[in-house]
Every structure is written in C-alpha cells, then in structure tokens.
Amino acid sequence: MRYELKLMDTLSGTGCFAAFPGPNLSFSEVLDHLENHPFDEFMHRHMLDMLGKHRTRKIQKMIKEIKGDPDKKVLAALIYEACQTHPRLAALKADVEKDFDPEELKGYSPTLHLRSHLLEDQPLHNKWTLIFSNNMEEQATLPTPEEAGIPELYSKEDLPSKDFTNAAAVREKLEKEDRIPPAKQRAPMEEVTANANKQLDAIDVFMGPQMRQKGCLSPFAVLHHWMVENRTENGSLSNSLRAMQTSYGRGFTYEQACVSCSMEVAERVSSYGSIGKAGVLGRTNSLPLIQGSYEEISRDRIAVDPSTFTLEAPYEGQPLWWMQSDKFDGNEYVEAWLPVQHVFLFCNLDEQNLFSGLSSTGLASGNTFAEAQLSGLLEVLERDSDSTIPFDISKCFTIETDDADVQKHLNNLKDCGIHVWFQDMTSEFGIPCYKAFAVGRLGDINKGGGCSLNGKSALLSALTEVPYPFPGPPTSAAPEGLPVRKLEDLPDLSTGSVEGDVMVIENTLTTNNFYPHYVDLTRKDLGIPVTRAIIPGLEIVSDLDKFSRINKRLYRNYLDIKNLL
C-alpha cells in the first residue's frame, strides 16, 4: 500500500502528521485491507477517521450485524475504538460495551486504545492528567489532592527518592581520576554546513532553497523543505511512505541557524527507515531484525525489557521486531537489542504498538558520532525534565548578561514589547535545563526548552526555541517580582570537548541506574553521523492526553511543591 504523510495540525510549533493511503479507497476496500493486515497502523487510523464521520445510525446497524461474528473481530475492534475516540459516537459506548469484549478485541488492533481502556486506574490517571495539563500547559496553580477532590495517585512510600548523584559530583570524580579528555574545538560551522548541504544535495532531498523565517524568538532562523520516501516489507505488510517535511534552524548568527537547519535535515532524513527482509536498508552498519517476545529474545542475548520504558499501557509479551543498539553499561558499550518501533519515525511494522505516538526525542546528528550522541542525550534529558517537573513560579526568573550579542537581542525583544522569562527545569541529574516563556496578550503560552552541561547554552537554546514571532506583537509582561539571574552565573559543567561531555552525562546516568542506548542510523548514501539515543526509564513524551500515565517522579515533584512529602 502506498501512503503519504500529511500535516494535520501544529501544536506549540511542532507539526502533527498522519499517514493516508495514496489511492482513494472505499470503506469496504479499507476494511478488506485491514482484515488481511490488522496491524497496519496507518490504515487502522485512517479507518478510525472514516468511522468517526459515519452517522450514528449506520454505526448502530454495523454493531448489530457483526455482533458475535468471529470473522468481524477487526471491525468490532475498530468500532469499539471509534466510540471511545469520537465524541459524536459517544452515545454508542453502552452498546459496544454490552455487545463486544475489549479483552478479546485488543489483540486485533495495533493501537493502545483498548489496552488503555482496560486499565482500571486509567480514569484516575485521566483526572490527574487534567490537573497537571492545566499547570504545565496553562500555568494554573496546582491544587492539593483535597482541594482537587481526587484520590491520591500513589502512596508516598511508593515514590522514588530524589537522592541522585548529580552531574557536578560525577564530573568532579572523573576529573580527580584524570579521565576527562582534553578540550577540543569542534569543526568550523561553515565547513560542517557545506559538507551537510553537499551530501544532502547528492541524495536529492531538498525541495526549493533554504529560507529565512520569523516564527521564533531567535535572532536568526531559517527553514528548508525536503522530501523522503521509504519502503517497508515486514511480516504481511508491503507499504511505502512519502513525506514532505520542514526542518528549522536557529541561532545567534546566520551561520549557526544554517548549520542547525542542515543538520536537522540530515537527522530527520535518516530517521525514516526502509525495511526489507534483511533488515534496515541503506545504513553504514548492518542492521538485521529479529522477531519475538522479550522473553524469547532475551534468552540468549542482552535485550531491553519494554516494561522499563515509560509506557502508556503495560507490555504484555507481544511479539515485536528487534534491532541492535549499543548500551553503555557504566564501563563499556555492549550490544543490546531493543524494539525497532522505538527507533524510527512513522515506523509501521507488522506488530502492535508500544506507544500511542513516538516523537523525535533522542534523534540527533553531528559532525562526529560523539556529537550526535551528546545532542541525543541532552534532548532526552530536556524532554524528561519537561515531563516530570511542574510549572512552579518560585523557580522562575529573568536574566541579565554581560554578553553584548545576547544583550542586544534582549534589547531588541524589549523594543518590540516581547517579554521573556524562564523556569529552572534542572532535574535530579543536576544537568542544567531551562524553559523559556513568552505569554501572548490573549493568554497563549509559548515556550521552548534547552538542556546542556553549560547553563548559558541551555538557556539560550530555550530562548531561541520559543515559537513566538520576532519581530512580532507585544506579549504580556513577565510576572511581577521575579528574581534576576545573571546569564554568566548559571552552572557550567562542560568539559571543553564533546567526548568529555558525553562521558559526564553517561556516567551521571549509569551512577543512578539509567543506561543509555544508541542506534547508529547513519545512511550509507549520506555519511552524516545520526543516532537515536534511548534511555529506558526516562520520559520521552511531554504531551498529556487520555493515554497518559502520570509519572511517579512528576507526582513526587508535585507533592514536594505543595510541601506534602
């Protein structure tokens, strides 16, 4: 089947895409395809959309016709999900719950809808999701459980400790042991940009020229449209996907913005995988795939237990497709197998999903593989902080600086009436992380995040990520009474080399029993190092929705803010 990726919405500056079949298929043709390929997620979601547009009476008629029919389990699962998903079909929930067994039907769907629906405590998680969403997205004050009138989600005894060995202590130890490599400059930006564009031009992915854009609070920002196509031959599936995408680059100089954009294109182009019978195709390293449950795969090889991921529904031993990664175990890199679907974007394999949706978190490119590792690790850490630390006005501040270029930009923002303020989002790991806010006059909260061993770099990254137009309309003023922090006084744990920074972060993680994994996604025809960094146990999705499971670290941090621990 031929699919095309289409932009459906844009949330907080991030595009939301869905895959649609290229041919204009009828309802019966879509159903016939799914009955033969029930785990084709692209077609399954397309059918859910089609069902949501049907009249209620037509769905009622289908329910009566297929009730008890052993050959219509796929359609029954779809109808059950549609009634749970589409508000206009909500009146039919009682009918499907009476006539269909979700425990049986969950095996006929690739998505999490039914598996999540069957979790007894999901309604309680949904209530807390609303509380945290109002706080983390709308900056609403968090109520106590008593004020909210909602039962507590976890007992205090069940919450993880905040006593971590932080990055400062780890860096100091590595320095005493004389293990940190000497400082080393990165390659010049002009050289990196020229090489990236040359390689990308050679594989003909660009659609038109790079363009300037003003949709964020960066002094310089550019975008570039590009196209990618891949093909999947996996299990019973034989699909292709065509996607037109846009990558962005930001920076305090035009050169920084250009190299940022080019490297993001390289990263994203590499994050779509063509998969054949021999495994992942067209990579510098051989990446074979194997199929089986975790129990089967882990009998004679190291594998990542999917239950160690922050899943929205428990892993139940389903057969999955697996690929090799390099795991840092605290001393060295060892081979470890992990689910393929956790690696590639829009990875539509013949299996059930572990995630309701997988973001690009942890995908990164670099002039060297170590640079890609560092960027990937920092992105996972930034997203984890964003997912586990509530909005807390007591951690917010504004900045002042001695840096002439930064001060010039802050003055330009101020001249436009744009007021930016920040929250310290540094987690238990002690790796500097910040969030920047620009609140529109109508109350819209625009935010960006950044993480780096160098606090100044982390904060400036957060600032340039804010999806608010510059020049643009005035914002609301920053909250009154915020303390002022000097940019140059923010923590700096960087080592002067990429390899040293990776060492500090990896050892900080493993000291606290979190183990980073890397999959080398470098394309043979591109040659630009790309990886997906995966850290089991850390959050990778900060958007809260009906599938969300409230992380115990988030709940602990909430109780800490409310002085309830």
Side-chain angles (χ1 to χ4, degrees):
M1 182 61 63
R2 177 168 52 87
Y3 291 99
E4 294 184 7
L5 207 59
K6 297 181 181 179
L7 179 66
M8 304 302 292
D9 197 1
T10 301
L11 300 173
S12 300
T14 301
C16 301
F17 293 85
F20 290 86
N24 186 17
L25 303 177
S26 67
F27 182 89
S28 59
E29 288 173 322
V30 173
L31 180 59
D32 182 64
H33 177 89
L34 284 171
E35 286 177 338
N36 288 290
H37 312 286
F39 291 160
D40 186 340
E41 181 196 359
F42 293 166
M43 193 67 80
H44 184 94
R45 292 188 183 278
H46 180 59
M47 175 61 107
L48 279 180
D49 185 60
M50 293 178 75
L51 286 169
K53 297 173 182 176
H54 275 47
R55 288 180 297 176
T56 304
R57 279 185 296 178
K58 188 168 184 179
I59 301 294
Q60 282 179 314
K61 185 171 182 288
M62 286 186 198
I63 293 171
K64 291 178 181 178
E65 290 174 348
I66 68 173
K67 177 183 176 182
D69 188 337
D71 296 326
K72 293 298 179 182
K73 300 296 185 185
V74 170
L75 180 56
L78 282 158
I79 290 175
Y80 203 116
E81 290 181 5
C83 293
Q84 298 293 330
T85 302
H86 297 290
R88 65 191 306 268
L89 300 180
L92 300 180
K93 283 184 181 180
D95 290 343
V96 296
E97 290 173 358
K98 175 172 61 74
D99 294 335
F100 299 143
D101 178 10
E103 185 67 42
E104 177 190 24
L105 296 180
K106 70 180 184 182
Y108 292 86
S109 168
T111 72
L112 300 183
H113 289 80
L114 297 181
R115 283 175 276 157
S116 175
H117 174 68
L118 286 165
L119 298 175
E120 290 185 7
D121 62 349
Q122 191 60 41
L124 180 57
H125 277 264
N126 288 345
K127 290 178 180 179
W128 279 104
T129 291
L130 182 60
I131 296 290
F132 285 115
S133 180
N134 287 339
N135 167 262
M136 298 164 81
E137 297 297 327
E138 305 298 331
Q139 298 182 347
T141 301
L142 286 166
T144 64
E146 291 76 15
E147 290 168 340
I150 302 174
E152 293 204 31
L153 197 53
Y154 304 110
S155 67
K156 294 181 179 65
E157 296 72 27
D158 198 29
L159 298 176
S161 169
K162 289 191 75 171
D163 295 330
F164 276 39
T165 302
N166 64 30
V170 170
R171 189 191 189 286
E172 182 180 3
K173 180 175 183 291
L174 291 171
E175 202 163 30
K176 285 181 179 178
E177 296 170 351
D178 198 27
R179 293 172 56 192
I180 295 178
K184 184 172 66 175
Q185 286 189 336
R186 296 193 183 195
M189 281 185 290
E190 295 82 358
E191 178 185 316
V192 176
T193 306
N195 176 63
N197 286 336
K198 178 182 177 182
Q199 299 299 100
L200 290 164
D201 276 331
I203 63 172
D204 196 27
V205 298
F206 289 132
M207 299 184 66
Q210 190 179 83
M211 296 180 285
R212 299 286 287 267
Q213 62 108 357
K214 298 180 179 180
C216 62
L217 296 185
S218 179
F220 296 90
V222 299
L223 61 81
H224 215 153
H225 302 301
W226 52 274
M227 177 74 73
V228 68
E229 296 187 44
N230 64 12
R231 181 156 194 86
T232 297
E233 299 284 344
N234 177 260
S236 72
L237 302 184
S238 178
N239 296 331
S240 66
L241 177 66
R242 185 172 184 265
M244 187 178 81
Q245 301 278 269
T246 304
S247 288
Y248 300 87
R250 307 165 181 87
F252 270 77
T253 67
Y254 180 65
E255 291 74 21
Q256 287 176 348
C258 289
V259 71
S260 171
C261 184
S262 297
M263 296 306 283
E264 183 177 283
V265 174
E267 165 204 315
R268 297 304 170 88
V269 164
S270 303
S271 67
Y272 289 79
S274 285
I275 294 173
K277 301 302 181 184
V280 183
L281 306 177
R283 307 292 158 156
T284 55
N285 295 327
S286 173
L287 294 174
L289 306 189
I290 54 177
Q291 186 186 31
S293 66
Y294 167 70
E295 182 181 3
E296 293 167 338
I297 297 299
S298 61
R299 282 176 189 156
D300 53 5
R301 57 181 64 82
I302 298 173
V304 181
D305 183 352
S307 299
T308 62
F309 299 138
T310 51
L311 300 178
E312 298 146 303
Y315 173 64
E316 298 175 322
Q318 302 97 315
L320 302 170
W321 291 92
W322 302 73
M323 68 187 301
Q324 295 157 292
S325 71
D326 291 316
K327 171 187 176 181
F328 183 69
D329 67 1
N331 296 302
E332 60 182 352
Y333 293 106
V334 297
E335 181 186 280
W337 291 72
L338 49 73
V340 179
Q341 63 174 277
H342 199 339
V343 177
F344 292 102
L345 294 180
F346 296 96
C347 184
N348 187 22
L349 302 181
D350 196 7
E351 63 184 2
Q352 288 190 302
N353 293 349
L354 294 172
F355 310 94
S356 62
L358 189 67
S359 71
S360 61
T361 300
L363 284 167
S365 62
N367 196 49
T368 65
F369 192 74
E371 287 184 7
Q373 285 179 296
L374 179 60
S375 295
L377 289 170
L378 291 172
E379 190 170 76
V380 175
L381 288 164
E382 186 267 317
R383 189 58 53 88
D384 177 71
S385 291
D386 193 39
S387 305
T388 59
I389 297 178
F391 171 72
D392 183 359
I393 193 67
S394 72
K395 293 183 179 179
C396 294
F397 59 96
T398 59
I399 60 166
E400 62 181 14
T401 180
D402 294 331
D403 187 314
D405 291 334
V406 175
Q407 189 59 55
K408 178 183 177 182
H409 183 52
L410 294 176
N411 290 340
N412 289 338
L413 292 173
K414 187 176 180 181
D415 289 343
C416 290
I418 296 174
H419 302 277
V420 186
W421 44 291
F422 304 87
Q423 179 177 340
D424 191 333
M425 301 289 288
T426 305
S427 72
E428 311 95 308
F429 295 108
I431 297 171
C433 187
Y434 302 98
K435 187 181 289 185
F437 300 106
V439 181
R441 289 288 178 89
L442 298 178
D444 50 298
I445 298 172
N446 307 276
K447 56 188 180 179
C451 182
S452 172
L453 286 174
N454 181 296
K456 177 180 177 180
S457 295
L459 185 137
L460 294 181
S461 177
L463 171 62
T464 61
E465 290 281 340
V466 176
Y468 192 86
F470 169 68
T475 65
S476 299
E480 292 185 6
L482 293 182
V484 179
R485 297 179 68 176
K486 195 165 186 177
L487 186 60
E488 289 73 21
D489 291 341
L490 297 179
D492 184 3
L493 304 175
S494 58
T495 65
S497 76
V498 171
E499 292 77 9
D501 287 359
V502 170
M503 178 184 290
V504 170
I505 295 172
E506 286 184 334
N507 280 273
T508 300
L509 289 166
T510 56
T511 298
N512 294 291
N513 296 314
F514 292 90
Y515 297 92
H517 296 67
Y518 309 94
V519 180
D520 187 348
L521 300 180
T522 307
R523 284 174 53 141
K524 192 181 299 183
D525 59 356
L526 190 56
I528 297 174
V530 175
T531 189
R532 167 81 87 163
I534 296 170
I535 309 172
L538 296 192
E539 287 285 353
I540 58 171
V541 178
S542 57
D543 298 325
L544 294 170
D545 58 27
K546 67 177 183 179
F547 298 115
S548 296
R549 305 287 293 176
I550 300 302
N551 189 289
K552 289 183 178 180
R553 290 166 57 224
L554 170 60
Y555 195 75
R556 178 206 62 204
N557 290 336
Y558 151 69
L559 293 180
D560 193 23
I561 289 172
K562 304 304 291 185
N563 297 314
L564 294 173
L565 281 180

